[in-house]
Amino acid sequence: METLITKFRKAAPKAALLMAVVAGAALQGCSKIAGGDTAGATATALSSDAASAVYVAPGKHDELYSFLSGGFNGQVSVYGIPSGRLLKIIPVFTQHGENGYGYSEESKAMLNTSHGFVPWDDLHHPKLSRTNGQTDGRWLFVNGNNTPRVARIDLTTFETVEIMEIPNSAGNHCSPYPTNNNEYVIAGTRFSVPLDMKGGTGDVALDKYEEEFRGSISFIKVDPEKGDMDLDFQILVPGFDYDLANGGKGPSEDWVFFTTYNSEKSGTLKEVGASQNDKDYLAAVNWKLAAKYAKEGKAREMPANYYHNKMDKNSHIAKSTVKKKVRYLLPEECPGMMYLLPAPKSPHGIDVDPTGEYMVVSGKLASAIPVFSFSKMQAAIKNKQFDGEKNGIPVLKYESVLKAEVKEPGLGPLHTEFDGKGNAYTSMFVSSEVVKWKLSDFTVVDRMPVYYSVGHLMIPGGDTKEPYGKYLVAMNKITKDRYLPTGPELAHSAQLIDISGEKMKMLLDFPTVAEPHYAQAIKADLVAPKSVKFFKLDENNHPHATKKESEASVKREGKNVVRIKMTAIRSHMTPDNIEGVQVGDTVYFHVTNLEQDWDVPHGFAVMGANNAETLIMPGATQTLKWMPKKAGVYPFYCTDFCSALHQEMQGYIRVSPKGSNVPITFSTGKKKQAPVASAK
Ligand code: K7E
Ligand code: CUA
């Protein structure tokens, strides 16, 4: 977002001046607060009932779950609303030392891509699965921007269970948008790239941007029962930057909309190059018609190379499948499937109101917020009110689709959410405020300063047919003096605002984990009752599971693999004495947690391991790979304080020099299962 300000300045010097004034005022305001001389008299002044509105007594549950993207930490964090209490961090695209995700042998494959193992991504948009246009609490879909991927989190376990790589894509940003019954999860490219039509990006001269670069929109089918994803087809679109996506509802539910910028197709210095045209586009795609075209033979096929990673429910082992082709449609061959609506300068957010009639486009460099009408769009298509075409895609006349413009909303509009009561709320990045306006007459009715530089807003269900218009969460990029300083890097933050009345009321300010972009929230009773408490041991079909202590074993396989099948139960591991391992061996600790009780994970860590611990849920088996480099005795232990005797939950593994004649032995307690030979 840093570049936004420079972009704004270069593109609109007058507005920039105004912006600088406003930004200056805001910063001045905050230095006063920091100085303490106006503490209590600032714009954050909380109404006296704010504390009680967010107070959730110890032992009581929050009303809602919220899922905030972690941005550049590649994870999702789960907070209770209204308390703002952090409940969990769900690792998705990033290795997580806390529980071994991406480090354990079982989970590594989740992070496989056509570029190899990619243990990080930039996660922006969580989207809950839907039934009849309402969030249903089954799955959470999220995007990885950098190495294009879409992931699915299962909300019975709060675990990432599936990751689909997206071919022909770069900067998978307008993603993932689920249709009203998850028929498709739709993902578009922020960065266009030259496609070599053989499954990768071509080796093309960069000054050939205009002729060679293309974007793509991917349509991922979702199994209605299991949630499993499958890339059905793509639409190859002109080489703009596709920024955000949002889908229709009610009358517009067959459509999905994308903001685009860089319709100039500039391949360099985009902060200037992509801001030349007075208008870019809102792309409207009839996804139902696209699916019909794809089904009825309009789709061509090209070679591709992309990974699909799935976590097996019972073994907890992730497996990768490599897909070798993809189907695609070309808009110029599919009449009626795609239209372009002119939208002011470099739009960012696109948000469709709960009735499905209004498409609100937040142009970060625009001075007004255009609201397009779906019914006018339908009429304009019917009456062919076109303003030429771009790459064979009809461009609709601006006036023919525009319903109204929200005048003087603030500076730097980014995203809009709806309360289901006829109001819209737009975030203003530059003027750091949330602006409430009415859908009936498009007038601004309230403003709330937020601290500072707000990106997305989130109202629970605020992007669906039925928002829950009680709370709004503003997610802020910059916090400056809001919290105790923590060196050069400060926490990003979320602010909870009460929107149940006419005027917005600030309730709570809480720091977030990394950078939240978008978020979702849902009533707790749609998720909590289905939460899994432990995994059933008798359903564990991991090939190296150990269901009883008497089945624990240590075996040498071939020359230099040692496989240890270990159990963990309060408060010991079996075996806890192991000998016969040699330098040069690859040792696998397959640890099964025998507990059949809620909230009793055991951890496992061994000295010198070059990965992480693994945290094993009750009833599950997890594997840590270890390659000891020096002879010696290595302690291992449980990392999660699981019982009064947790500190006793430890053992030793002896590593002898390569070629030593120490036989493999293992035991727990005094009795040795085989005699121990000496090292020499
Ligand atoms: Cu941060 Cu939705 Cu990636 Cu706007 S995006 S802020
Ligand atoms: Cu098991 Cu501590």
Side-chain angles (χ1 to χ4, degrees):
M1 296 302 307
E2 282 75 16
T3 56
L4 192 65
I5 290 173
T6 18
K7 180 172 187 173
F8 197 101
R9 283 208 177 109
K10 289 196 174 144
K14 262 188 222 153
L17 194 66
L18 178 57
M19 177 205 74
V21 171
V22 171
L27 292 178
Q28 241 176 25
C30 63
S31 60
K32 261 192 211 156
I33 300 164
D37 52 340
T38 55
T42 69
T44 31
L46 297 176
S47 63
S48 58
D49 56 352
S52 63
V54 301
Y55 183 68
V56 178
K60 295 281 183 251
H61 292 178
D62 276 287
E63 185 185 353
L64 299 137
Y65 285 99
S66 71
F67 301 92
L68 273 63
S69 67
F72 48 74
N73 78 357
Q75 302 166 336
V76 167
S77 30
V78 186
Y79 293 84
I81 299 289
S83 72
R85 299 187 293 202
L86 176 63
L87 304 176
K88 191 178 176 69
I89 292 173
I90 306 171
V92 183
F93 299 114
T94 298
Q95 284 176 305
H96 197 44
E98 181 184 318
N99 65 0
Y101 177 84
Y103 291 100
S104 71
E105 294 308 295
E106 286 75 11
S107 60
K108 271 182 187 167
M110 287 304 277
L111 304 177
N112 285 342
T113 75
S114 61
H115 305 271
F117 182 71
V118 179
W120 172 86
D121 217 308
D122 183 17
L123 187 161
H124 283 215
H125 303 121
K127 283 278 190 179
L128 287 160
S129 57
R130 296 168 183 204
T131 303
N132 300 323
Q134 280 179 272
T135 54
D136 58 19
R138 295 200 287 167
W139 309 302
L140 185 73
F141 298 98
V142 296
N143 68 320
N145 266 314
N146 185 54
T147 304
R149 288 174 278 182
V150 170
R152 181 170 60 93
I153 294 164
D154 183 331
L155 292 181
T156 64
T157 57
F158 286 64
E159 286 175 349
T160 304
V161 292
E162 192 175 7
I163 295 183
M164 167 75 72
E165 189 181 2
I166 315 281
N168 299 329
S169 176
N172 171 46
H173 191 254
C174 39
S175 164
Y177 167 72
T179 56
N180 287 302
N181 287 292
N182 317 315
E183 293 95 338
Y184 284 104
V185 164
I186 299 171
T189 50
R190 180 156 143 230
F191 311 131
S192 287
V193 281
L195 305 180
D196 68 359
M197 306 309 256
K198 283 190 242 102
T201 71
D203 170 17
V204 167
L206 293 180
D207 61 7
K208 292 276 185 293
Y209 187 103
E210 226 185 308
E211 308 89 79
E212 304 269 353
F213 286 44
R214 296 207 80 147
S216 70
I217 299 170
S218 300
F219 291 73
I220 302 166
K221 247 193 179 133
V222 178
D223 182 283
E225 296 305 317
K226 295 191 195 132
D228 293 346
M229 300 188 287
D230 186 26
L231 177 54
D232 192 16
F233 64 93
Q234 299 185 310
I235 301 178
L236 302 188
V237 288
F240 314 148
D241 289 41
Y242 295 79
D243 204 10
L244 277 148
N246 205 286
K249 291 122 191 161
S252 57
E253 76 174 1
D254 295 354
W255 293 77
V256 58
F257 304 93
F258 300 85
T259 47
T260 71
Y261 61 98
N262 194 25
S263 56
E264 298 86 349
K265 296 193 185 172
S266 164
T268 181
L269 198 63
K270 290 200 184 190
E271 62 173 338
V272 177
S275 304
Q276 307 283 311
N277 292 349
D278 192 42
K279 296 217 167 40
D280 289 290
Y281 299 110
L282 178 68
V285 173
N286 185 325
W287 64 263
K288 250 196 197 147
L289 187 59
K292 191 163 170 263
Y293 277 132
K295 201 170 168 194
E296 290 174 355
K298 281 264 186 193
R300 300 156 187 249
E301 201 174 88
M302 70 166 116
N305 183 31
Y306 60 102
Y307 274 64
H308 181 201
N309 310 322
K310 241 162 47 179
M311 181 71 77
D312 179 75
K313 201 164 162 259
N314 295 322
S315 67
H316 277 92
I317 296 175
K319 283 213 174 77
S320 300
T321 318
V322 186
K323 306 267 171 122
K324 286 290 182 193
K325 54 190 179 202
V326 66
R327 301 195 304 154
Y328 68 97
L329 295 171
L330 296 172
E332 52 271 39
E333 297 178 352
C334 300
M337 182 176 76
M338 186 169 177
Y339 296 92
L340 298 172
L341 288 66
K345 269 195 183 303
S346 305
H348 187 55
I350 156 69
D351 298 284
V352 181
D353 87 307
T355 69
E357 167 63 9
Y358 296 130
M359 294 95 80
V360 178
V361 172
S362 306
K364 48 201 192 285
L365 303 179
S367 55
I369 303 171
V371 180
F372 296 105
S373 150
F374 181 73
S375 48
K376 286 185 86 172
M377 182 186 113
Q378 293 296 83
I381 292 171
K382 207 168 141 216
N383 303 327
K384 302 204 158 41
Q385 289 171 289
F386 298 142
D387 201 353
E389 48 88 28
K390 217 131 186 186
N391 295 62
I393 306 165
V395 178
L396 294 164
K397 283 208 169 82
Y398 183 64
E399 300 72 28
S400 71
V401 288
L402 185 75
K403 173 72 186 181
E405 282 179 344
V406 182
K407 301 278 190 232
E408 296 180 11
L411 292 175
L414 288 186
H415 298 283
T416 300
E417 289 270 290
F418 306 92
D419 65 2
K421 297 179 282 190
N423 302 304
Y425 300 77
T426 303
S427 55
M428 299 292 158
F429 177 79
V430 176
S431 54
S432 288
E433 58 186 333
V434 176
V435 173
K436 176 180 177 179
W437 51 276
K438 279 180 134 132
L439 286 158
S440 53
D441 60 7
F442 310 98
T443 55
V444 172
V445 291
D446 194 21
R447 291 171 186 278
M448 166 66 74
V450 283
Y451 302 91
Y452 307 92
S453 304
V454 57
H456 274 275
L457 304 176
M458 183 272 289
I459 292 172
D463 56 340
T464 70
K465 254 165 51 178
E466 284 189 46
Y468 178 59
K470 183 173 173 187
Y471 299 113
L472 177 145
V473 176
M475 284 157 283
N476 308 312
K477 310 287 184 193
I478 295 169
T479 53
K480 293 267 189 236
D481 49 22
R482 300 289 294 174
Y483 303 111
L484 287 173
T486 50
E489 197 207 359
L490 302 171
H492 292 240
S493 84
Q495 289 185 297
L496 183 71
I497 297 168
D498 177 350
I499 54 163
S500 60
E502 231 166 82
K503 293 273 163 201
M504 290 180 268
K505 274 193 267 177
M506 181 60 74
L507 296 179
L508 183 71
D509 203 342
F510 57 97
T512 58
V513 183
E515 181 184 6
H517 290 261
Y518 195 42
Q520 296 271 271
I522 187 166
K523 290 254 184 73
D525 55 20
L526 281 168
V527 175
K530 293 184 278 188
S531 203
V532 166
K533 293 194 162 71
F534 58 85
F535 299 113
K536 292 195 182 112
L537 198 55
D538 53 20
E539 288 176 7
N540 177 342
N541 61 6
H542 190 293
H544 303 295
T546 314
K547 308 271 179 97
K548 286 189 230 135
E549 290 190 353
S550 58
E551 289 169 7
S553 66
V554 180
K555 281 189 187 127
R556 179 170 290 281
E557 279 181 14
K559 267 216 156 90
N560 44 22
V561 169
V562 175
R563 217 172 268 290
I564 301 171
K565 290 172 64 173
M566 182 181 278
T567 61
I569 195 163
R570 283 164 287 180
S571 300
H572 58 271
M573 280 122 166
T574 304
D576 68 2
N577 274 222
I578 300 163
E579 300 189 29
V581 171
Q582 298 179 6
V583 173
D585 283 346
T586 298
V587 180
Y588 292 98
F589 293 97
H590 303 289
V591 186
T592 301
N593 180 344
L594 296 178
E595 308 280 354
Q596 290 289 272
D597 196 358
W598 196 16
D599 202 16
V600 201
H602 291 290
F604 178 86
V606 61
M607 189 166 89
N610 292 105
N611 38 30
E613 68 161 347
T614 171
L615 193 66
I616 311 118
M617 295 305 125
T621 304
Q622 292 281 294
T623 304
L624 203 71
K625 182 178 167 181
W626 183 54
M627 296 161 87
K629 291 173 190 69
K630 287 185 291 194
V633 169
Y634 293 78
F636 55 82
Y637 71 107
C638 167
T639 48
D640 189 335
F641 212 113
C642 51
S643 72
L645 295 173
H646 154 81
Q647 291 296 77
E648 283 70 16
M649 202 164 171
Q650 65 179 83
Y652 291 103
I653 183 164
R654 174 183 172 193
V655 177
S656 302
K658 197 172 177 67
S660 118
N661 61 358
V662 178
I664 295 274
T665 59
F666 59 96
S667 62
T668 309
K670 280 257 163 350
K671 215 172 120 227
K672 293 276 179 188
Q673 301 198 343
V676 182
S678 70
K680 288 267 151 72

